Amino acid sequence: MTALIIIIALVVVIGSFVISTYNALVVLRNKVKDQWAQIDVLLKRRFDLIPNLVETVKGYAKHEKDTLEGVIEARNKFTTASTPEEEMEANNQITTALNRLFALSESYPELKANENFKDLQNNLKETEDKIAYSRQFYNDSVLKYNNKRQMFPSNIVASIFGFKAEKFFEANETENLHALIDNLINDEKTYTHNPRFIVVTDYKTLLAVDTKTKQTLDIEIKDLYKRYDFFLPWSGKEKYVADRKS
């Protein structure tokens, strides 16, 4: 009789654990899906702005065929994406293509002054900022879910019921640094003494650029402090700008 009571008690305890852990995993997984749905709305909003942007640029820079086709191709890839992972990859390609397009506009003053182009650029920038902001919450939800899924003993329940790992929505850091350098080169307020060379680093990726030719220079982290004077901290993810030592 005592043994039966012990067995029943163990079954109740184990059953309660399985049910509570399963429900907790479902809640965390649904949180990830909800956060992604909010990002998806923003991605589609940016997607809808691209055709007007391309048509506007065509009116001023028709011969920049490769750049325009790159934007269109990236947009088309987003159209065929059927999973969040595919949308993430397409998003990074769109970001890369748009950064190149906006850098191109610096060579066309009339395009840069066009009100429609400026409105589209501002709308896209606003949407990008919202995507970046939402990405933080999404990745936080993914981290909590993946941790719960991997930690013992909840990983046993996750394995039994087929809870799969979710992928983080990672930005293309190299392209972000390229975009940051473009902004620095084109924004006179960013630096005061018009440096010939600037460096941007997040300590994982390092870019050194000649501001006149806009060519990327070869430089290693170990040579950074020897060859460059840091003078401007950049808010955000430990990015800095440096001018080459004279």
Side-chain angles (χ1 to χ4, degrees), residues 149-167:
R149 178 185 165 277
Q150 294 172 2
M151 293 172 66
F152 182 83
S154 55
N155 63 332
I156 298 173
V157 177
S159 177
I160 292 172
F161 291 99
F163 285 89
K164 299 185 182 300
E166 295 289 346
K167 185 177 179 180

Side-chain angles (χ1 to χ4, degrees), residues 19 25 38-39 62 67 70 72 82-83 106 111 128 135 137 169-170 181 203 214 222 236 241 246:
I19 292 171
L25 285 165
Q38 295 180 45
I39 291 176
K62 292 181 180 179
T67 303
I72 295 170
S82 57
T83 65
E106 298 299 324
L111 170 62
E128 287 285 355
R135 180 189 289 117
F137 290 98
F169 185 14
E170 297 178 341
I181 281 183
Y203 294 105
K214 297 189 179 181
K222 63 185 178 67
V241 183
S246 57

Side-chain angles (χ1 to χ4, degrees), residues 41 160 204:
V41 170
I160 292 172
K204 290 189 296 185

Side-chain angles (χ1 to χ4, degrees), residues 24-244:
L25 285 165
V26 169
V27 169
L28 291 172
R29 185 175 62 185
N30 287 343
K31 180 70 172 178
V32 171
K33 291 180 178 179
D34 177 66
Q35 292 290 344
W36 178 255
Q38 295 180 45
I39 291 176
D40 199 38
V41 170
L42 294 171
L43 294 178
K44 287 182 170 65
R45 180 175 184 270
R46 184 175 65 165
F47 173 88
D48 292 337
L49 291 170
I50 290 174
N52 286 338
L53 178 67
V54 170
E55 288 303 315
T56 301
V57 173
K58 276 183 180 179
Y60 294 88
K62 292 181 180 179
H63 61 284
E64 301 288 354
K65 184 178 178 181
D66 291 343
T67 303
L68 293 171
E69 286 183 349
V71 175
I72 295 170
E73 183 180 344
R75 183 181 184 271
N76 290 341
K77 186 166 185 178
F78 183 84
T79 306
T80 59
S82 57
T83 65
E85 290 77 12
E86 290 177 355
E87 288 191 357
M88 290 176 195
E89 182 180 351
N91 169 74
N92 283 336
Q93 289 190 12
I94 289 175
T95 300
T96 299
L98 288 176
N99 285 341
R100 290 171 180 166
L101 185 63
F102 289 135
L104 172 72
S105 69
E106 298 299 324
S107 301
Y108 298 89
E110 292 183 0
L111 170 62
K112 192 176 179 182
N114 181 275
E115 289 300 324
N116 188 43
F117 178 78
K118 288 195 290 187
D119 287 342
L120 288 167
Q121 190 174 27
N122 289 336
N123 286 333
L124 284 164
K125 177 64 168 61
E126 180 183 347
T127 304
E128 287 285 355
D129 290 343
K130 289 180 179 178
I131 291 172
Y133 183 73
S134 298
R135 180 189 289 117
Q136 298 175 26
F137 290 98
Y138 172 79
N139 285 341
D140 184 58
S141 297
V142 169
L143 178 63
K144 290 178 181 177
Y145 166 74
N146 285 344
N147 282 346
K148 183 73 173 178
R149 178 185 165 277
Q150 294 172 2
M151 293 172 66
F152 182 83
S154 55
N155 63 332
I156 298 173
V157 177
S159 177
I160 292 172
F161 291 99
F163 285 89
K164 299 185 182 300
E166 295 289 346
K167 185 177 179 180
F168 289 99
F169 185 14
E170 297 178 341
N172 188 330
E173 292 298 337
T174 300
E175 290 300 332
N176 284 348
L177 293 177
H178 274 293
L180 178 57
I181 281 183
D182 286 335
N183 289 337
L184 290 168
I185 291 173
N186 297 316
D187 185 357
E188 295 177 355
K189 295 179 182 179
T190 302
Y191 45 83
T192 57
H193 62 284
N194 192 29
R196 172 66 190 277
F197 299 92
I198 59 175
V199 172
V200 178
T201 179
D202 60 3
Y203 294 105
K204 290 189 296 185
T205 305
L206 179 70
L207 294 177
V209 172
D210 185 319
T211 58
K212 291 186 178 180
T213 65
K214 297 189 179 181
Q215 292 182 340
T216 303
L217 309 175
D218 292 329
I219 179 173
E220 297 182 10
I221 288 284
K222 63 185 178 67
D223 295 326
L224 184 62
Y225 296 99
K226 297 177 182 177
R227 296 170 56 187
Y228 292 85
D229 285 317
F230 282 94
F231 69 91
L232 177 65
W234 187 265
S235 62
K237 195 178 177 180
E238 286 194 325
K239 293 169 183 162
Y240 294 87
V241 183
D243 191 13
R244 175 173 280 188

